Amino acid sequence: MSSAALAPPRTLVGQTAAPGLVLGRIVELDERAAPVGLPPVVPLDEAIAEAVRQLRALRDVTDVTDDADAQRLIEFQIEFLGDPTLLEPARAALAAGADAATAWCRAIDAQIDDFAAADDDYFRHRVGDLRDMRERVIAVLTGGSVGALRLPPDAVLLADDLAPSRFLATDWRPGQAVLLRGSSPTAHVALLARARAVPMVVGLGDMVIEPGEWAIVDGGAGTVALAPDGAQRADFARRRACADDEQRREAAAAARVATTHAGERVQVMINVATLDELDGVDPAICDGIGLVRTELMFAAGPPDEATQLDFYRRLLAWAGGRPVVVRTLDAGGDKPMPGVTVDGETNPFLGVRGVRLSLAAPELFKVQLRALLRAAAAGALRIMVPMVTRPDELLQVRRLLAQATSELAAEGRPFASAPLGLMVEVPAVALSLEAFDADFASIGSNDLLQYTMAAARDNPAVSALADAAHPGFDALLRLAVKTAAARGLPLSLCGDLASRPAHVPRLLAAGLRSLSVPAAAVGAVKSAISEWR
Ligand code: PEP
Ligand code: MG
């Protein structure tokens, strides 16, 4: 029996990045290992050129599979491999007599350290991309190759971090999971893990786990039980069986039309941020897309009109005539965007975010509005504006839409008008919905709750205060529903609250009859709706 098998049970707690329950064995990946000192097979410049060629080839294949997110990650790497801030130090080290691998590692490691130490999440979340590039160039330099990880079927992969392209190259199977000492739930690799349903726990911190050790990974709880004993294994088997049953029940519920126990129809739409998330999702399970978050598309810098148009058209094609509500850029707050958002705000949640930022950068905003109007010619597209506070903000958006319309008409490009709606995220808006000239509205409960309860959504220390059952929040919700009904304004709710079955009765009781939730939650939410009396 190995020493790992004799290790006492212990439980590690990290952060949940992708849900799922797995029992498997630890396989350690050492991403920092550098073959420095191995004789280079090709000069550094050639190795970098070859790495770029490989990445372009990967991008082209990825394009075919409709994986827009993955494509952007690869684009970022291609661009960075041509960046003088990376190349000049490497060339200087070569000139000073270092061998190619050493020169490369020094230059890229300095960048990795800078990115890892950055205050801005945007840079920290790109550390995985930089490690990926590091490894790819080393592989070319030394005649090796970067490829898929070949993991045993029950592998629980343990790493400091995992490069997104390595994650993408790997053929993940049910029963496998990933544990990262670093990273965060909003890192690219976490996003990819959620989209591909690979359970993942991140932020586990520095710790040693013996390779081969058994582990029960609970991605949803963010926990890892190491060297589980008989009782823990029995508990796992019970929970796994329940989870499988539940999954089957939810799949059946997802396929049905959502009606309350009394037979009242409730609209259930889905929230998406990437095309990836639609892989394997049957459009018939939903009444359309109730929220497209467009921020991820901007992660590697503002995309051009053609890129945006392509994304919106693909969503409409998937929806097959069902409505698709695209939210305009909601940068700022918890979604900082280098080069776009304002640096140094003392309270970014109360600062220049959402429509405030879009109106402050009308040229950038207009690119998005033009792409939306052009896409609207291809389906039931609706435009939704985030973080609206005053009626005149919506009027300004209407004016910009009118300008974009005139431009497109003058250019002879096909376009169509689209209904314009607002997100109800600011309490003052929920209290005065009648004042807004909107075609529809959707409650962003994540923000509405944080602003109502004065409890930041990204601060676990106050998360208990963000209680949707609070009578103050309930009163606000009911008032918004009542105002919307009196005006005939279609109103939905697209915040996380809608995807929590325990809260669904509260939302229905407040009068809501339209919810938008992640695709994976449709079954559970429809079940909760059908049980509501
Ligand atoms: C919300 O605030 O509830 C919402 C849906 O928007 P986001 O979570 O993207 O801020
Ligand atoms: Mg919001």
Side-chain angles (χ1 to χ4, degrees):
M1 199 181 251
S2 75
S3 60
L6 293 171
R10 61 191 167 119
T11 297
L12 307 174
V13 180
Q15 288 174 283
T16 172
L21 200 57
V22 155
L23 168 64
R25 298 176 81 138
I26 298 289
V27 175
E28 171 118 44
L29 173 75
D30 188 359
E31 288 268 41
R32 287 297 284 203
V36 175
L38 287 181
V41 175
V42 291
L44 182 55
D45 276 343
E46 273 180 42
I48 291 175
E50 169 59 16
V52 169
R53 200 196 56 72
Q54 289 179 2
L55 284 164
R56 288 206 176 110
L58 190 60
R59 177 192 59 192
D60 294 345
V61 177
T62 311
D63 194 10
V64 171
T65 57
D66 276 5
D67 204 336
D69 247 4
Q71 227 194 326
R72 268 191 301 281
L73 304 186
I74 296 166
E75 286 290 354
F76 168 79
Q77 295 196 18
I78 293 172
E79 252 180 59
F80 203 81
L81 281 171
D83 195 317
T85 52
L86 173 66
L87 299 181
E88 277 164 16
R91 290 189 185 128
L94 280 177
D99 67 78
T102 305
W104 168 246
C105 287
R106 261 190 223 154
I108 188 82
D109 287 347
Q111 292 294 328
I112 290 173
D113 292 343
D114 278 0
F115 273 54
D119 287 337
D120 198 324
D121 281 352
Y122 173 86
F123 292 106
R124 285 202 306 278
H125 295 171
R126 270 170 177 69
V127 166
D129 297 301
L130 299 195
R131 292 212 173 114
D132 205 23
M133 288 181 244
R134 179 187 196 273
E135 197 179 317
R136 184 176 296 280
V137 173
I138 288 173
V140 180
L141 271 176
T142 57
S145 68
V146 174
L149 294 166
R150 281 180 227 304
L151 300 167
D154 63 349
V156 172
L157 182 72
L158 171 67
D160 290 345
D161 199 351
L162 186 59
S165 69
R166 182 154 242 189
F167 182 91
L168 283 168
T170 301
D171 182 18
W172 296 98
R173 280 172 270 171
Q176 296 175 329
V178 180
L179 306 179
L180 299 180
R181 294 187 177 93
S183 199
S184 81
T186 49
H188 283 141
V189 73
L191 197 136
L192 296 170
R194 284 196 286 279
R196 285 166 178 68
V198 179
M200 180 181 277
V201 179
V202 298
L204 283 160
D206 283 339
M207 44 61 191
V208 177
I209 307 178
E210 289 290 323
E213 193 163 310
W214 286 97
I216 294 173
V217 179
D218 186 340
T223 59
V224 186
L226 291 169
D229 58 21
Q232 285 172 309
R233 282 169 181 261
D235 181 55
F236 166 80
R238 235 182 349 262
R239 291 176 60 209
R240 186 65 266 172
C242 287
D244 291 345
D245 281 353
E246 189 60 23
Q247 231 169 337
R248 277 190 288 273
R249 273 197 301 277
E250 286 176 6
R256 291 194 286 270
V257 165
T259 48
T260 64
H261 195 260
E264 199 180 348
R265 176 87 161 83
V266 178
Q267 196 178 36
V268 177
M269 296 182 289
I270 61 167
N271 297 347
V272 298
T274 65
L275 287 161
D276 258 2
E277 293 163 58
L278 298 174
D279 283 351
V281 178
D282 180 355
I285 66 163
C286 67
D287 296 298
I289 301 182
L291 170 66
V292 179
R293 289 183 167 99
T294 56
E295 295 72 45
L296 271 173
M297 198 182 15
F298 285 70
D304 62 16
E305 188 175 313
T307 307
Q308 295 196 42
L309 177 60
D310 181 58
F311 177 53
Y312 306 142
R313 279 189 181 148
R314 287 176 192 234
L315 292 168
L316 289 163
W318 177 87
R322 296 171 183 81
V324 174
V325 179
V326 181
R327 179 175 75 184
T328 59
L329 183 66
D330 186 24
D334 58 333
K335 310 174 193 88
M337 225 163 270
V340 178
T341 43
V342 181
D343 286 335
E345 288 185 309
T346 49
N347 191 340
F349 276 125
L350 300 182
V352 186
R353 61 167 293 204
V355 72
R356 304 168 185 185
L357 188 70
S358 293
L359 291 174
E363 287 316 311
L364 182 74
F365 192 25
K366 196 105 80 62
V367 176
Q368 185 166 37
L369 297 179
R370 282 173 56 102
L372 288 166
L373 290 170
R374 289 175 68 187
L381 185 137
R382 296 175 187 173
I383 301 173
M384 182 158 74
V385 185
M387 271 304 287
V388 171
T389 309
R390 294 192 326 201
D392 73 278
E393 290 167 330
L394 214 52
L395 294 178
Q396 288 181 61
V397 177
R398 282 203 191 280
R399 275 198 287 278
L400 284 172
L401 274 170
Q403 275 175 26
T405 301
S406 310
E407 284 174 18
L408 291 171
E411 291 163 20
R413 293 183 196 277
F415 68 92
S417 62
L420 180 68
L422 79 159
M423 290 195 72
V424 181
E425 294 172 295
V426 176
V429 175
L431 290 164
S432 62
L433 205 45
E434 69 285 352
F436 290 82
D437 174 21
D439 301 313
F440 67 94
S442 185
I443 297 173
S445 55
N446 304 335
D447 278 312
L448 187 61
L449 194 57
Q450 77 158 342
Y451 293 132
T452 307
M453 307 308 290
R457 60 193 272 188
D458 62 350
N459 185 349
V462 294
S463 60
L465 289 172
D467 175 13
H470 190 286
F473 182 74
D474 199 53
L476 205 56
L477 203 63
R478 284 172 187 261
L479 178 66
V481 173
K482 197 170 150 205
T483 312
R487 266 200 49 192
L489 180 74
L491 179 68
S492 188
L493 188 145
C494 60
D496 286 351
L497 212 49
S499 60
R500 288 154 62 187
H503 285 276
V504 167
R506 182 186 321 289
L507 303 180
L508 296 173
L512 279 159
R513 291 296 178 270
S514 175
L515 305 174
S516 191
V517 303
V522 167
V525 168
K526 285 188 175 177
S527 290
I529 291 170
S530 67
E531 284 157 20
W532 183 70
R533 290 165 191 260

